[in-house]
Structures are given as C-alpha cells and as structure tokens.
Amino acid sequence: MSLIDLLTGNTGNQVAEQAENKFGISKNQVIALLAVATPLIISYLRNKSQDAKEAEALNNALDKDHNGSILNDASQIEARQAEGGSILDHIFGGQKSTVENQLSQNTGISIDKIGPILAMLAPVVMGYIGQQKQQSNVGAGGLGDLLGGILGNASNQAQAQQSNPLNDILGSVLGGGGQSQSSGNPLNDILGSVLGGGGNQQQGGGGLGSILGNILGGK
C-alpha cells in the first residue's frame, strides 16, 4: 500500500470521519490537513533517522508498538490519541507549536483542534511506516532510505494522477517534500514550496491556498 492509498483509502477516511465527528470539522478539511501533515511527519522522521541514536530509537518503537494493525482497526485511532501526542512531541520537538500554527493558518482549522487531530494521525502514520519496514525487512540503518522511498514513490504517484484536488495537494506537498534535506528543515521545505513561504497563502494565486479552495468549496 502506497502513502497515497493510505490517505485516499479507507484508513484516511476513518481518521477524517472520526475527527469530523469529534471536532465538528468538515471531512474534506480534515483530509486536506492529513495530505499536508502526513508527508511532513515522515520528512521529520527521515531527518531524525540520519542520527544513528534516533534511528535506533525509531526502529525499536516501530518494532515494539507499530506493527500496522491500526490500519485495519479503526477503533485504535481515537484510543491511541494520547500516545499520538507523545509521538508528535518527539518528532517535532521545539518546533511543534510552529508546525501547528502553520497548518492552522493554511487549512483554516482552528489551532486548538490541529494538535488533537494530528495526535489521531500520528499512530496511523507510525503504523504505516512499521508495516512498510516489515515488508522491506530493514533495520535502523535502512530507515532513512525507507522513509525517503515512501515520499518519493508517493510524489511520483500523486503527480501522475492529478485528477482530483487531493492528488493536487499531495503532488505539491510531496514535490517540496522530496527536497526536505536541502535546508534540513522539513517545515520550511514542504510548506515553503507549497504555500509560497509567506503569510498570504490563502490569498495567493497558486499553491495550497487555491487547491484548498477547490477541495473545500471556497473556504
């Protein structure tokens, strides 16, 4: 299963539906958030995995807690939300509030709901990575290449299938995500390339603002 399949298929829809029911946010808006946040999480993990100790810690966490079962068991999504918050604290570190603020500004989802929705998403992303790790049979030393491959394959797939607004978002996001090692800061690389890097993304003539306008019905 590719990253695109994860986000556009049953699992992504389950996250979006549960977030919609819990927080009163439109499902399309949540899906748009997932399309930006998921590659961002994976890019941060890829950067962290360049450090041997971080790679070993990630490898151990995947082996211990993230075998991919959450992808077939929607009840785990909300049940593991608190765990997801801890995962995000580790992944984003001191940049967590910056990430949440940027995502809030560019999806129109209020800042108090961004964190909880991302906390629902994080164990799903970890479960997906854990599943891919098992299928590829890689250890700590291969995680960077595995994560880079997930992003690269998704980028190719999204850009080859730009038939709907969600794929447009993913194609744009992943086009930037593929360069995430260029500045060492995935937030700048992904959001900068997709959103124009400024505070006027929603008014801009391109990037995520106009794509979100299509998928969200002019929000």
Side-chain angles (χ1 to χ4, degrees):
M1 177 171 61
S2 72
L3 186 63
I4 304 290
D5 297 331
L6 175 76
L7 292 171
T8 60
N10 185 59
T11 304
N13 275 303
Q14 289 282 359
V15 175
E17 285 171 6
Q18 290 190 32
E20 179 181 43
N21 293 336
K22 187 168 186 177
F23 304 110
I25 300 166
S26 80
K27 182 177 171 183
N28 277 351
Q29 214 168 358
V30 177
I31 289 174
L33 172 63
L34 303 186
V36 180
T38 302
L40 193 60
I41 290 171
I42 294 173
S43 292
Y44 267 83
L45 285 171
R46 181 177 64 168
N47 277 16
K48 280 184 171 293
S49 70
Q50 306 307 311
D51 177 273
K53 287 185 177 179
E54 288 282 0
E56 191 61 44
L58 175 58
N59 190 64
N60 291 340
L62 292 170
D63 285 344
K64 181 172 179 286
D65 298 318
H66 304 286
N67 61 6
S69 63
I70 192 172
L71 305 181
N72 300 308
D73 180 7
S75 68
Q76 291 188 43
I77 294 171
E78 192 168 344
R80 298 180 70 172
Q81 187 175 344
E83 174 192 346
S86 299
I87 291 170
L88 294 170
D89 286 340
H90 180 73
I91 291 174
F92 294 135
Q95 291 191 322
K96 186 180 179 187
S97 62
T98 304
V99 170
E100 291 179 352
N101 275 316
Q102 287 281 356
L103 291 173
S104 174
Q105 288 174 26
N106 293 293
T107 59
I109 297 174
S110 63
I111 188 66
D112 61 311
K113 295 175 180 175
I114 287 282
I117 295 173
L118 294 181
M120 294 172 74
L121 173 65
V124 173
V125 176
M126 291 291 283
Y128 173 73
I129 295 170
Q131 182 191 70
Q132 296 299 303
K133 173 177 139 49
Q134 290 174 7
Q135 291 175 358
S136 302
N137 195 29
V138 300
L143 285 176
D145 288 341
L146 175 70
L147 295 169
I150 288 172
L151 292 172
N153 291 338
S155 174
N156 293 337
Q157 185 180 347
Q159 293 180 19
Q161 300 176 350
Q162 289 190 343
S163 57
N164 63 58
L166 181 58
N167 271 354
D168 288 344
I169 292 176
L170 287 164
S172 299
V173 170
L174 291 159
Q179 310 299 321
S180 67
Q181 299 210 29
S182 60
S183 76
N185 186 333
L187 181 66
N188 289 346
D189 289 318
I190 287 182
L191 294 187
S193 63
V194 180
L195 309 175
N200 301 313
Q201 296 91 338
Q202 295 279 22
Q203 292 82 43
L208 184 61
S210 60
I211 299 170
L212 285 179
N214 294 331
I215 196 172
L216 304 179
K219 266 195 175 296

PDB file of all heavy atoms in Angstrom, residues 93-131:
ATOM      1  N   GLY A  93       9.490  18.206  18.400  1.00  0.00           N
ATOM      2  CA  GLY A  93      10.280  18.860  19.432  1.00  0.00           C
ATOM      3  C   GLY A  93       9.850  20.300  19.647  1.00  0.00           C
ATOM      4  O   GLY A  93       8.657  20.621  19.720  1.00  0.00           O
ATOM      5  N   GLY A  94      10.824  21.188  19.672  1.00  0.00           N
ATOM      6  CA  GLY A  94      10.561  22.604  19.914  1.00  0.00           C
ATOM      7  C   GLY A  94       9.832  23.295  18.782  1.00  0.00           C
ATOM      8  O   GLY A  94       9.375  24.432  18.945  1.00  0.00           O
ATOM      9  N   GLN A  95       9.712  22.630  17.649  1.00  0.00           N
ATOM     10  CA  GLN A  95       9.012  23.236  16.508  1.00  0.00           C
ATOM     11  C   GLN A  95       7.527  22.885  16.465  1.00  0.00           C
ATOM     12  O   GLN A  95       6.811  23.303  15.559  1.00  0.00           O
ATOM     13  CB  GLN A  95       9.656  22.792  15.188  1.00  0.00           C
ATOM     14  CG  GLN A  95      11.041  23.357  14.953  1.00  0.00           C
ATOM     15  CD  GLN A  95      11.511  23.096  13.527  1.00  0.00           C
ATOM     16  OE1 GLN A  95      11.250  22.048  12.961  1.00  0.00           O
ATOM     17  NE2 GLN A  95      12.196  24.063  12.954  1.00  0.00           N
ATOM     18  N   LYS A  96       7.065  22.131  17.458  1.00  0.00           N
ATOM     19  CA  LYS A  96       5.686  21.631  17.398  1.00  0.00           C
ATOM     20  C   LYS A  96       4.668  22.769  17.288  1.00  0.00           C
ATOM     21  O   LYS A  96       3.752  22.717  16.454  1.00  0.00           O
ATOM     22  CB  LYS A  96       5.377  20.778  18.636  1.00  0.00           C
ATOM     23  CG  LYS A  96       4.007  20.109  18.567  1.00  0.00           C
ATOM     24  CD  LYS A  96       3.722  19.274  19.801  1.00  0.00           C
ATOM     25  CE  LYS A  96       2.347  18.636  19.712  1.00  0.00           C
ATOM     26  NZ  LYS A  96       1.977  17.952  20.974  1.00  0.00           N
ATOM     27  N   SER A  97       4.806  23.816  18.102  1.00  0.00           N
ATOM     28  CA  SER A  97       3.833  24.911  18.050  1.00  0.00           C
ATOM     29  C   SER A  97       3.909  25.653  16.719  1.00  0.00           C
ATOM     30  O   SER A  97       2.885  26.090  16.179  1.00  0.00           O
ATOM     31  CB  SER A  97       4.047  25.884  19.220  1.00  0.00           C
ATOM     32  OG  SER A  97       5.330  26.477  19.150  1.00  0.00           O
ATOM     33  N   THR A  98       5.115  25.774  16.173  1.00  0.00           N
ATOM     34  CA  THR A  98       5.278  26.422  14.861  1.00  0.00           C
ATOM     35  C   THR A  98       4.577  25.618  13.774  1.00  0.00           C
ATOM     36  O   THR A  98       3.874  26.169  12.916  1.00  0.00           O
ATOM     37  CB  THR A  98       6.766  26.576  14.515  1.00  0.00           C
ATOM     38  OG1 THR A  98       7.411  27.304  15.547  1.00  0.00           O
ATOM     39  CG2 THR A  98       6.961  27.295  13.197  1.00  0.00           C
ATOM     40  N   VAL A  99       4.783  24.305  13.810  1.00  0.00           N
ATOM     41  CA  VAL A  99       4.131  23.421  12.836  1.00  0.00           C
ATOM     42  C   VAL A  99       2.619  23.554  12.930  1.00  0.00           C
ATOM     43  O   VAL A  99       1.924  23.721  11.919  1.00  0.00           O
ATOM     44  CB  VAL A  99       4.554  21.953  13.073  1.00  0.00           C
ATOM     45  CG1 VAL A  99       3.708  21.003  12.236  1.00  0.00           C
ATOM     46  CG2 VAL A  99       6.034  21.761  12.745  1.00  0.00           C
ATOM     47  N   GLU A 100       2.097  23.492  14.153  1.00  0.00           N
ATOM     48  CA  GLU A 100       0.648  23.554  14.332  1.00  0.00           C
ATOM     49  C   GLU A 100       0.085  24.900  13.875  1.00  0.00           C
ATOM     50  O   GLU A 100      -0.988  24.959  13.265  1.00  0.00           O
ATOM     51  CB  GLU A 100       0.293  23.275  15.796  1.00  0.00           C
ATOM     52  CG  GLU A 100       0.561  21.828  16.197  1.00  0.00           C
ATOM     53  CD  GLU A 100       0.232  21.538  17.652  1.00  0.00           C
ATOM     54  OE1 GLU A 100      -0.059  22.501  18.403  1.00  0.00           O
ATOM     55  OE2 GLU A 100       0.271  20.355  18.037  1.00  0.00           O
ATOM     56  N   ASN A 101       0.808  25.974  14.169  1.00  0.00           N
ATOM     57  CA  ASN A 101       0.357  27.300  13.741  1.00  0.00           C
ATOM     58  C   ASN A 101       0.306  27.406  12.221  1.00  0.00           C
ATOM     59  O   ASN A 101      -0.652  27.938  11.649  1.00  0.00           O
ATOM     60  CB  ASN A 101       1.280  28.388  14.305  1.00  0.00           C
ATOM     61  CG  ASN A 101       0.872  28.800  15.712  1.00  0.00           C
ATOM     62  OD1 ASN A 101      -0.300  28.991  16.000  1.00  0.00           O
ATOM     63  ND2 ASN A 101       1.844  28.931  16.591  1.00  0.00           N
ATOM     64  N   GLN A 102       1.346  26.913  11.562  1.00  0.00           N
ATOM     65  CA  GLN A 102       1.391  26.971  10.097  1.00  0.00           C
ATOM     66  C   GLN A 102       0.258  26.146   9.485  1.00  0.00           C
ATOM     67  O   GLN A 102      -0.407  26.588   8.542  1.00  0.00           O
ATOM     68  CB  GLN A 102       2.743  26.452   9.594  1.00  0.00           C
ATOM     69  CG  GLN A 102       3.905  27.390   9.832  1.00  0.00           C
ATOM     70  CD  GLN A 102       3.952  28.517   8.804  1.00  0.00           C
ATOM     71  OE1 GLN A 102       3.159  28.553   7.878  1.00  0.00           O
ATOM     72  NE2 GLN A 102       4.878  29.438   8.994  1.00  0.00           N
ATOM     73  N   LEU A 103       0.043  24.958  10.026  1.00  0.00           N
ATOM     74  CA  LEU A 103      -1.013  24.102   9.494  1.00  0.00           C
ATOM     75  C   LEU A 103      -2.387  24.718   9.736  1.00  0.00           C
ATOM     76  O   LEU A 103      -3.284  24.619   8.893  1.00  0.00           O
ATOM     77  CB  LEU A 103      -0.931  22.707  10.113  1.00  0.00           C
ATOM     78  CG  LEU A 103       0.277  21.872   9.688  1.00  0.00           C
ATOM     79  CD1 LEU A 103       0.350  20.583  10.499  1.00  0.00           C
ATOM     80  CD2 LEU A 103       0.242  21.555   8.197  1.00  0.00           C
ATOM     81  N   SER A 104      -2.555  25.358  10.878  1.00  0.00           N
ATOM     82  CA  SER A 104      -3.816  26.016  11.182  1.00  0.00           C
ATOM     83  C   SER A 104      -4.083  27.155  10.201  1.00  0.00           C
ATOM     84  O   SER A 104      -5.174  27.273   9.628  1.00  0.00           O
ATOM     85  CB  SER A 104      -3.805  26.555  12.614  1.00  0.00           C
ATOM     86  OG  SER A 104      -4.976  27.307  12.882  1.00  0.00           O
ATOM     87  N   GLN A 105      -3.062  27.982   9.974  1.00  0.00           N
ATOM     88  CA  GLN A 105      -3.217  29.123   9.068  1.00  0.00           C
ATOM     89  C   GLN A 105      -3.580  28.676   7.657  1.00  0.00           C
ATOM     90  O   GLN A 105      -4.358  29.334   6.963  1.00  0.00           O
ATOM     91  CB  GLN A 105      -1.914  29.927   9.009  1.00  0.00           C
ATOM     92  CG  GLN A 105      -1.614  30.739  10.264  1.00  0.00           C
ATOM     93  CD  GLN A 105      -0.241  31.386  10.188  1.00  0.00           C
ATOM     94  OE1 GLN A 105       0.266  31.642   9.096  1.00  0.00           O
ATOM     95  NE2 GLN A 105       0.363  31.644  11.343  1.00  0.00           N
ATOM     96  N   ASN A 106      -3.039  27.560   7.249  1.00  0.00           N
ATOM     97  CA  ASN A 106      -3.154  27.194   5.840  1.00  0.00           C
ATOM     98  C   ASN A 106      -4.223  26.159   5.539  1.00  0.00           C
ATOM     99  O   ASN A 106      -4.431  25.802   4.383  1.00  0.00           O
ATOM    100  CB  ASN A 106      -1.785  26.712   5.346  1.00  0.00           C
ATOM    101  CG  ASN A 106      -0.795  27.861   5.334  1.00  0.00           C
ATOM    102  OD1 ASN A 106      -0.930  28.789   4.557  1.00  0.00           O
ATOM    103  ND2 ASN A 106       0.170  27.830   6.225  1.00  0.00           N
ATOM    104  N   THR A 107      -4.920  25.702   6.587  1.00  0.00           N
ATOM    105  CA  THR A 107      -6.061  24.813   6.357  1.00  0.00           C
ATOM    106  C   THR A 107      -7.348  25.434   6.879  1.00  0.00           C
ATOM    107  O   THR A 107      -8.433  24.947   6.562  1.00  0.00           O
ATOM    108  CB  THR A 107      -5.872  23.448   7.056  1.00  0.00           C
ATOM    109  OG1 THR A 107      -5.721  23.658   8.461  1.00  0.00           O
ATOM    110  CG2 THR A 107      -4.654  22.724   6.502  1.00  0.00           C
ATOM    111  N   GLY A 108      -7.228  26.497   7.680  1.00  0.00           N
ATOM    112  CA  GLY A 108      -8.421  27.115   8.241  1.00  0.00           C
ATOM    113  C   GLY A 108      -8.981  26.374   9.443  1.00  0.00           C
ATOM    114  O   GLY A 108     -10.041  26.728   9.962  1.00  0.00           O
ATOM    115  N   ILE A 109      -8.288  25.337   9.909  1.00  0.00           N
ATOM    116  CA  ILE A 109      -8.716  24.606  11.106  1.00  0.00           C
ATOM    117  C   ILE A 109      -8.156  25.325  12.328  1.00  0.00           C
ATOM    118  O   ILE A 109      -6.968  25.653  12.365  1.00  0.00           O
ATOM    119  CB  ILE A 109      -8.217  23.148  11.064  1.00  0.00           C
ATOM    120  CG1 ILE A 109      -8.841  22.415   9.874  1.00  0.00           C
ATOM    121  CG2 ILE A 109      -8.555  22.422  12.362  1.00  0.00           C
ATOM    122  CD1 ILE A 109      -8.300  21.009   9.654  1.00  0.00           C
ATOM    123  N   SER A 110      -8.977  25.563  13.335  1.00  0.00           N
ATOM    124  CA  SER A 110      -8.534  26.338  14.496  1.00  0.00           C
ATOM    125  C   SER A 110      -7.385  25.638  15.218  1.00  0.00           C
ATOM    126  O   SER A 110      -7.313  24.408  15.266  1.00  0.00           O
ATOM    127  CB  SER A 110      -9.700  26.583  15.453  1.00  0.00           C
ATOM    128  OG  SER A 110     -10.197  25.369  15.961  1.00  0.00           O
ATOM    129  N   ILE A 111      -6.513  26.447  15.794  1.00  0.00           N
ATOM    130  CA  ILE A 111      -5.283  25.936  16.392  1.00  0.00           C
ATOM    131  C   ILE A 111      -5.564  24.947  17.527  1.00  0.00           C
ATOM    132  O   ILE A 111      -4.800  24.002  17.738  1.00  0.00           O
ATOM    133  CB  ILE A 111      -4.396  27.109  16.893  1.00  0.00           C
ATOM    134  CG1 ILE A 111      -3.025  26.613  17.341  1.00  0.00           C
ATOM    135  CG2 ILE A 111      -5.094  27.886  17.998  1.00  0.00           C
ATOM    136  CD1 ILE A 111      -2.164  26.053  16.237  1.00  0.00           C
ATOM    137  N   ASP A 112      -6.672  25.114  18.227  1.00  0.00           N
ATOM    138  CA  ASP A 112      -6.959  24.214  19.348  1.00  0.00           C
ATOM    139  C   ASP A 112      -7.367  22.814  18.878  1.00  0.00           C
ATOM    140  O   ASP A 112      -7.361  21.869  19.680  1.00  0.00           O
ATOM    141  CB  ASP A 112      -8.053  24.802  20.245  1.00  0.00           C
ATOM    142  CG  ASP A 112      -9.368  25.013  19.503  1.00  0.00           C
ATOM    143  OD1 ASP A 112      -9.337  25.605  18.407  1.00  0.00           O
ATOM    144  OD2 ASP A 112     -10.414  24.581  20.022  1.00  0.00           O
ATOM    145  N   LYS A 113      -7.683  22.683  17.601  1.00  0.00           N
ATOM    146  CA  LYS A 113      -8.094  21.373  17.078  1.00  0.00           C
ATOM    147  C   LYS A 113      -7.001  20.701  16.244  1.00  0.00           C
ATOM    148  O   LYS A 113      -7.043  19.489  16.027  1.00  0.00           O
ATOM    149  CB  LYS A 113      -9.372  21.511  16.251  1.00  0.00           C
ATOM    150  CG  LYS A 113     -10.564  21.950  17.099  1.00  0.00           C
ATOM    151  CD  LYS A 113     -11.797  22.196  16.265  1.00  0.00           C
ATOM    152  CE  LYS A 113     -12.963  22.635  17.166  1.00  0.00           C
ATOM    153  NZ  LYS A 113     -14.162  22.999  16.388  1.00  0.00           N
ATOM    154  N   ILE A 114      -6.031  21.492  15.786  1.00  0.00           N
ATOM    155  CA  ILE A 114      -4.950  20.924  14.968  1.00  0.00           C
ATOM    156  C   ILE A 114      -4.194  19.835  15.728  1.00  0.00           C
ATOM    157  O   ILE A 114      -3.994  18.717  15.236  1.00  0.00           O
ATOM    158  CB  ILE A 114      -3.966  22.025  14.520  1.00  0.00           C
ATOM    159  CG1 ILE A 114      -4.603  22.899  13.433  1.00  0.00           C
ATOM    160  CG2 ILE A 114      -2.654  21.413  14.017  1.00  0.00           C
ATOM    161  CD1 ILE A 114      -4.633  22.308  12.051  1.00  0.00           C
ATOM    162  N   GLY A 115      -3.759  20.161  16.944  1.00  0.00           N
ATOM    163  CA  GLY A 115      -2.976  19.210  17.736  1.00  0.00           C
ATOM    164  C   GLY A 115      -3.693  17.895  17.972  1.00  0.00           C
ATOM    165  O   GLY A 115      -3.133  16.816  17.726  1.00  0.00           O
ATOM    166  N   PRO A 116      -4.939  17.932  18.451  1.00  0.00           N
ATOM    167  CA  PRO A 116      -5.669  16.682  18.671  1.00  0.00           C
ATOM    168  C   PRO A 116      -5.881  15.855  17.400  1.00  0.00           C
ATOM    169  O   PRO A 116      -5.820  14.629  17.441  1.00  0.00           O
ATOM    170  CB  PRO A 116      -7.010  17.160  19.245  1.00  0.00           C
ATOM    171  CG  PRO A 116      -6.691  18.446  19.926  1.00  0.00           C
ATOM    172  CD  PRO A 116      -5.639  19.084  19.063  1.00  0.00           C
ATOM    173  N   ILE A 117      -6.124  16.536  16.276  1.00  0.00           N
ATOM    174  CA  ILE A 117      -6.286  15.779  15.024  1.00  0.00           C
ATOM    175  C   ILE A 117      -4.961  15.134  14.621  1.00  0.00           C
ATOM    176  O   ILE A 117      -4.909  13.964  14.219  1.00  0.00           O
ATOM    177  CB  ILE A 117      -6.807  16.680  13.890  1.00  0.00           C
ATOM    178  CG1 ILE A 117      -8.221  17.169  14.207  1.00  0.00           C
ATOM    179  CG2 ILE A 117      -6.822  15.918  12.560  1.00  0.00           C
ATOM    180  CD1 ILE A 117      -8.760  18.188  13.234  1.00  0.00           C
ATOM    181  N   LEU A 118      -3.865  15.883  14.732  1.00  0.00           N
ATOM    182  CA  LEU A 118      -2.556  15.314  14.416  1.00  0.00           C
ATOM    183  C   LEU A 118      -2.227  14.147  15.346  1.00  0.00           C
ATOM    184  O   LEU A 118      -1.581  13.174  14.939  1.00  0.00           O
ATOM    185  CB  LEU A 118      -1.468  16.385  14.526  1.00  0.00           C
ATOM    186  CG  LEU A 118      -1.515  17.533  13.511  1.00  0.00           C
ATOM    187  CD1 LEU A 118      -0.351  18.490  13.749  1.00  0.00           C
ATOM    188  CD2 LEU A 118      -1.508  17.023  12.082  1.00  0.00           C
ATOM    189  N   ALA A 119      -2.682  14.238  16.596  1.00  0.00           N
ATOM    190  CA  ALA A 119      -2.438  13.150  17.550  1.00  0.00           C
ATOM    191  C   ALA A 119      -3.202  11.893  17.160  1.00  0.00           C
ATOM    192  O   ALA A 119      -2.769  10.771  17.465  1.00  0.00           O
ATOM    193  CB  ALA A 119      -2.820  13.591  18.961  1.00  0.00           C
ATOM    194  N   MET A 120      -4.347  12.058  16.479  1.00  0.00           N
ATOM    195  CA  MET A 120      -5.060  10.887  15.953  1.00  0.00           C
ATOM    196  C   MET A 120      -4.317  10.306  14.754  1.00  0.00           C
ATOM    197  O   MET A 120      -4.308   9.093  14.534  1.00  0.00           O
ATOM    198  CB  MET A 120      -6.478  11.279  15.551  1.00  0.00           C
ATOM    199  CG  MET A 120      -7.367  11.685  16.711  1.00  0.00           C
ATOM    200  SD  MET A 120      -8.970  12.371  16.185  1.00  0.00           S
ATOM    201  CE  MET A 120      -9.818  10.886  15.633  1.00  0.00           C
ATOM    202  N   LEU A 121      -3.689  11.201  13.983  1.00  0.00           N
ATOM    203  CA  LEU A 121      -2.998  10.775  12.771  1.00  0.00           C
ATOM    204  C   LEU A 121      -1.666  10.081  13.059  1.00  0.00           C
ATOM    205  O   LEU A 121      -1.308   9.117  12.371  1.00  0.00           O
ATOM    206  CB  LEU A 121      -2.751  12.004  11.883  1.00  0.00           C
ATOM    207  CG  LEU A 121      -1.898  11.803  10.629  1.00  0.00           C
ATOM    208  CD1 LEU A 121      -2.588  10.874   9.638  1.00  0.00           C
ATOM    209  CD2 LEU A 121      -1.598  13.153   9.966  1.00  0.00           C
ATOM    210  N   ALA A 122      -0.940  10.551  14.072  1.00  0.00           N
ATOM    211  CA  ALA A 122       0.441  10.091  14.284  1.00  0.00           C
ATOM    212  C   ALA A 122       0.574   8.570  14.432  1.00  0.00           C
ATOM    213  O   ALA A 122       1.439   7.963  13.783  1.00  0.00           O
ATOM    214  CB  ALA A 122       1.055  10.813  15.484  1.00  0.00           C
ATOM    215  N   PRO A 123      -0.251   7.905  15.262  1.00  0.00           N
ATOM    216  CA  PRO A 123      -0.104   6.443  15.354  1.00  0.00           C
ATOM    217  C   PRO A 123      -0.424   5.732  14.044  1.00  0.00           C
ATOM    218  O   PRO A 123       0.118   4.661  13.769  1.00  0.00           O
ATOM    219  CB  PRO A 123      -1.111   6.061  16.450  1.00  0.00           C
ATOM    220  CG  PRO A 123      -1.327   7.302  17.237  1.00  0.00           C
ATOM    221  CD  PRO A 123      -1.241   8.412  16.227  1.00  0.00           C
ATOM    222  N   VAL A 124      -1.300   6.331  13.233  1.00  0.00           N
ATOM    223  CA  VAL A 124      -1.612   5.756  11.922  1.00  0.00           C
ATOM    224  C   VAL A 124      -0.377   5.815  11.021  1.00  0.00           C
ATOM    225  O   VAL A 124      -0.023   4.833  10.351  1.00  0.00           O
ATOM    226  CB  VAL A 124      -2.795   6.493  11.266  1.00  0.00           C
ATOM    227  CG1 VAL A 124      -3.008   6.017   9.831  1.00  0.00           C
ATOM    228  CG2 VAL A 124      -4.068   6.301  12.081  1.00  0.00           C
ATOM    229  N   VAL A 125       0.291   6.973  11.008  1.00  0.00           N
ATOM    230  CA  VAL A 125       1.497   7.124  10.195  1.00  0.00           C
ATOM    231  C   VAL A 125       2.587   6.168  10.685  1.00  0.00           C
ATOM    232  O   VAL A 125       3.260   5.516   9.876  1.00  0.00           O
ATOM    233  CB  VAL A 125       2.002   8.581  10.234  1.00  0.00           C
ATOM    234  CG1 VAL A 125       3.312   8.710   9.475  1.00  0.00           C
ATOM    235  CG2 VAL A 125       0.962   9.522   9.636  1.00  0.00           C
ATOM    236  N   MET A 126       2.735   6.073  11.997  1.00  0.00           N
ATOM    237  CA  MET A 126       3.749   5.156  12.554  1.00  0.00           C
ATOM    238  C   MET A 126       3.410   3.703  12.205  1.00  0.00           C
ATOM    239  O   MET A 126       4.293   2.904  11.891  1.00  0.00           O
ATOM    240  CB  MET A 126       3.847   5.343  14.059  1.00  0.00           C
ATOM    241  CG  MET A 126       4.446   6.670  14.494  1.00  0.00           C
ATOM    242  SD  MET A 126       6.221   6.822  14.122  1.00  0.00           S
ATOM    243  CE  MET A 126       6.904   5.798  15.440  1.00  0.00           C
ATOM    244  N   GLY A 127       2.123   3.369  12.261  1.00  0.00           N
ATOM    245  CA  GLY A 127       1.707   2.017  11.892  1.00  0.00           C
ATOM    246  C   GLY A 127       2.004   1.714  10.434  1.00  0.00           C
ATOM    247  O   GLY A 127       2.439   0.613  10.090  1.00  0.00           O
ATOM    248  N   TYR A 128       1.793   2.708   9.603  1.00  0.00           N
ATOM    249  CA  TYR A 128       2.080   2.539   8.168  1.00  0.00           C
ATOM    250  C   TYR A 128       3.580   2.337   7.955  1.00  0.00           C
ATOM    251  O   TYR A 128       3.993   1.440   7.205  1.00  0.00           O
ATOM    252  CB  TYR A 128       1.591   3.762   7.390  1.00  0.00           C
ATOM    253  CG  TYR A 128       2.008   3.740   5.935  1.00  0.00           C
ATOM    254  CD1 TYR A 128       1.414   2.865   5.034  1.00  0.00           C
ATOM    255  CD2 TYR A 128       3.031   4.571   5.477  1.00  0.00           C
ATOM    256  CE1 TYR A 128       1.801   2.831   3.704  1.00  0.00           C
ATOM    257  CE2 TYR A 128       3.425   4.538   4.149  1.00  0.00           C
ATOM    258  CZ  TYR A 128       2.817   3.671   3.269  1.00  0.00           C
ATOM    259  OH  TYR A 128       3.219   3.630   1.956  1.00  0.00           O
ATOM    260  N   ILE A 129       4.392   3.164   8.617  1.00  0.00           N
ATOM    261  CA  ILE A 129       5.851   3.018   8.479  1.00  0.00           C
ATOM    262  C   ILE A 129       6.287   1.653   9.003  1.00  0.00           C
ATOM    263  O   ILE A 129       7.126   0.978   8.397  1.00  0.00           O
ATOM    264  CB  ILE A 129       6.581   4.148   9.232  1.00  0.00           C
ATOM    265  CG1 ILE A 129       6.275   5.504   8.586  1.00  0.00           C
ATOM    266  CG2 ILE A 129       8.095   3.894   9.241  1.00  0.00           C
ATOM    267  CD1 ILE A 129       6.759   6.690   9.403  1.00  0.00           C
ATOM    268  N   GLY A 130       5.700   1.233  10.136  1.00  0.00           N
ATOM    269  CA  GLY A 130       6.042  -0.076  10.690  1.00  0.00           C
ATOM    270  C   GLY A 130       5.713  -1.207   9.735  1.00  0.00           C
ATOM    271  O   GLY A 130       6.481  -2.163   9.578  1.00  0.00           O
ATOM    272  N   GLN A 131       4.571  -1.093   9.070  1.00  0.00           N
ATOM    273  CA  GLN A 131       4.171  -2.101   8.082  1.00  0.00           C
ATOM    274  C   GLN A 131       5.159  -2.133   6.913  1.00  0.00           C
ATOM    275  O   GLN A 131       5.581  -3.208   6.459  1.00  0.00           O
ATOM    276  CB  GLN A 131       2.765  -1.793   7.577  1.00  0.00           C
ATOM    277  CG  GLN A 131       2.218  -2.793   6.571  1.00  0.00           C
ATOM    278  CD  GLN A 131       0.936  -2.291   5.917  1.00  0.00           C
ATOM    279  OE1 GLN A 131       0.951  -1.364   5.128  1.00  0.00           O
ATOM    280  NE2 GLN A 131      -0.183  -2.902   6.278  1.00  0.00           N
TER     281      GLN A 131
END
